[in-house]
Each structure stands twice: as structure tokens, then as C-alpha cells.
Amino acid sequence: MHIIVSLVKWLFTLHQLVWFVAGGLMFGAMTYFHMKLKQDNKANKLNFTFILLSACTFVFTILWTYDSYMENEVRAANMGLLVFGGLAVVFAILGYRFTQKNDVNKVEVKGH
């Protein structure tokens, strides 16, 4: 019983809890966007790849910033927000752009 209690205490200390929640956030975001695109018939491998990259990079940005502030490295936290956060936004924009390309415009031709 002591081993189980020690394991629970280790898992749910503040630092490990943040990583655990971030993993859940990443999985939840990927699942939500995949299901939403599949519901609208806009899901393909290319936009899901960019959604996956965006979610992973966004969560990495949060964790980088958190760990940098915990180590009292404010400059590293700000640079991580700028570089990795910007990269996450670029991946999200690319995923959105590739989602919009699936719309096909239909032209009606009036007959005699």
C-alpha cells in the first residue's frame, strides 16, 4: 500500500500534474478537431497532419514556458513563446488553409 501511495504522490505533484494535463489537452484537441472535420466531410491526411503538428507544438510551448518560469529563466520562456508559439500558429493556419481546399464550387448550367 505504501508503494501505491508514494506513486500517487509522485504522479500528482504540481510538476507532473502539469505534464499530465498538457498531454490530455493535446489528445483532446486532436480528437476534437479530427471529429469535427470528419463530421463536415473535410478530413484528409494533410490537414490532420498540420492539426497534429499544431496541437503538439502548442502544448510544447505551454510546457516550455512553464518549465522555464519554474527554473527562473524568463528570457528562455519568452523566446519559447515567440518561436514555438509562432510555429504552432503557422501550423494551425496551414491546417485551416488545407481544410478550405476541399470545398468544390458547383456551376449550374441552365438548359434550353
Side-chain angles (χ1 to χ4, degrees):
M1 185 67 178
H2 180 68
I3 294 172
I4 295 172
V5 171
S6 297
L7 182 64
V8 169
K9 283 183 181 179
W10 174 80
L11 181 64
F12 291 112
T13 58
L14 182 62
H15 189 71
Q16 279 79 17
L17 183 62
V18 169
W19 282 81
F20 184 74
V21 168
L25 176 70
M26 182 176 60
F27 178 75
M30 289 185 304
T31 304
Y32 171 76
F33 285 116
H34 179 67
M35 290 177 68
K36 182 72 173 161
L37 289 173
K38 213 165 187 137
Q39 179 184 9
D40 295 339
N41 289 331
K42 293 182 179 181
N44 59 25
K45 290 180 182 178
L46 190 61
N47 65 7
F48 185 69
T49 301
F50 280 108
I51 289 170
L52 175 78
L53 286 171
S54 177
C56 291
T57 310
F58 179 71
V59 170
F60 181 76
T61 302
I62 293 171
L63 293 173
W64 177 284
T65 305
Y66 172 76
D67 280 344
S68 294
Y69 277 124
M70 293 305 290
E71 293 174 1
N72 204 17
E73 295 286 339
V74 179
R75 189 175 292 168
N78 292 335
M79 289 302 294
L81 276 173
L82 182 68
V83 172
F84 300 122
L87 191 60
V89 169
V90 167
F91 286 148
I93 290 171
L94 286 173
Y96 178 75
R97 292 287 183 172
F98 290 128
T99 301
Q100 297 301 316
K101 285 189 176 183
N102 283 344
D103 292 336
V104 177
N105 295 329
K106 294 182 180 179
V107 178
E108 266 187 49
V109 178
K110 293 183 180 180
H112 296 289

